[in-house]
Amino acid sequence: MPTDDVARFLEALSPAHREEVRHQPREQQEKLAAAWEKELREDTDLDTLSELSPAAAESEAARRVVEGRS
């Protein structure tokens, strides 16, 4: 299990989004990872999903951040 926030974020992404983010500068990757962490903390709908499947909640939050829907 990666401990680096960016690595955890990348792992939560779909393969297509993962490649898209990997091609961005590290600074942008860090901003996206921070937005992902914030989405996980603040979105109450994800809290419910997290109880059922933490990996699904992380993936959904990552998708929202990359697609600009957070």
Side-chain angles (χ1 to χ4, degrees):
M1 180 91 181
T3 56
D4 175 319
D5 288 343
V6 172
R8 288 183 48 241
F9 172 62
L10 289 170
E11 192 170 285
L13 289 167
S14 69
H17 283 136
R18 188 176 305 125
E19 282 306 307
E20 177 184 330
V21 172
R22 278 192 177 136
H23 286 93
Q24 296 180 13
R26 177 68 182 194
E27 183 177 300
Q28 181 62 22
Q29 291 178 18
E30 290 171 354
K31 287 179 183 178
L32 290 169
W36 173 66
E37 291 284 350
K38 182 179 178 184
E39 182 80 6
L40 285 170
R41 277 192 315 272
E42 295 180 359
D43 190 301
T44 56
D45 291 336
L46 290 174
D47 287 343
T48 303
L49 180 58
S50 183
E51 291 176 16
L52 300 172
S53 174
E58 289 183 351
S59 182
E60 174 62 15
R63 182 188 63 77
R64 290 179 186 180
V65 167
V66 170
E67 293 179 356
R69 297 178 59 200
S70 61

